[in-house]
């Protein structure tokens, strides 16, 4: 029986408060460091705002690094587009970070936080999570919204942030983007 849990980090942590996190989404533990995706900095909890955040193409997400031994908190990677899934790559030097509204998975260097490029050649839709496979040869990737053709509305709008901002600024237009 019984088991339990221990809070590793919460919004009252002094160093974390200065970072003003908005929406913790996923985490991976590498040694004594926890890497956490913070999907966006502003806290907006209802579904309408979530869709607006998804389609607005604002790169205010990041990966936060929390050292369990020292208690130090900092930002590993910044200016990401709704990072949600996160996993350690098999090379043990990079993290795979799923950017939901960009339909891609990035490789992020653990030492520098630099984005090294994309992992794979595009995805089947909005990547929601990523985990290592049990056989040690690949990854399981969750997709929350699939693409119905080779070019989807988010793909078309990704090259036009101003248009995306206009469409997501008006609540009546938001359902068109679903």
């Amino acid at each position: 029986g019984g088991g339990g849990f221990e809070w590793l980090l919460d919004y009252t942590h002094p160093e974390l408060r200065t970072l003003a996190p908005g929406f913790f989404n996923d985490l991976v533990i590498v040694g004594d460091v926890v890497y956490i995706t913070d999907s966006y900095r502003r806290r907006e909890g209802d579904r309408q705002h979530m869709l607006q955040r998804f389609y607005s193409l604002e790169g205010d997400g990041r990966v936060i690094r929390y050292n369990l031994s020292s208690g130090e908190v900092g930002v590993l990677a910044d200016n990401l587009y709704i990072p949600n899934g996160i996993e350690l790559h098999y090379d043990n030097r990079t993290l795979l970070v799923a950017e939901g509204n960009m339909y891609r998975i990035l490789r992020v260097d653990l030492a520098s936080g630099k984005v090294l490029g994309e992992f794979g050649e595009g995805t089947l839709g909005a990547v929601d999570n990523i985990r290592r496979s049990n056989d040690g040869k690949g990854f399981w990737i969750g997709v929350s919204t699939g693409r119905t053709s080779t070019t989807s509305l988010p793909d078309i709008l990704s090259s036009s942030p101003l248009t995306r901002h206009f469409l997501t600024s008006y609540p009546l237009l938001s359902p068109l983007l679903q």
Side-chain angles (χ1 to χ4, degrees), residues 3 7 10 13 34 44 54 57-58 61-62 64 107 117 123 126 136 141:
W7 287 106
D10 67 24
H13 186 286
V34 181
E44 297 157 339
F54 185 84
L57 201 62
E58 293 180 41
R62 58 199 167 172
I64 292 176
R107 288 184 73 143
T123 63
I141 299 170

Side-chain angles (χ1 to χ4, degrees), residues 130-167:
I130 183 165
R131 291 290 176 262
R132 290 181 182 208
S133 62
N134 289 338
D135 66 7
K137 297 179 182 177
F139 296 92
W140 288 97
I141 299 170
V143 177
S144 64
T145 305
R147 287 181 166 141
T148 56
S149 66
T150 56
T151 306
S152 65
L153 183 58
D155 291 324
I156 294 166
L157 295 177
S158 67
S159 62
S160 179
L162 185 59
T163 303
R164 284 177 82 143
H165 179 73
F166 172 77
L167 288 174

Side-chain angles (χ1 to χ4, degrees), residues 55-78:
Y55 287 105
S56 67
L57 201 62
E58 293 180 41
D60 68 345
R62 58 199 167 172
V63 174
I64 292 176
R65 177 183 50 236
Y66 173 54
N67 187 304
L68 294 168
S69 299
S70 69
E72 180 183 352
V73 177
V75 175
L76 175 70
D78 209 354

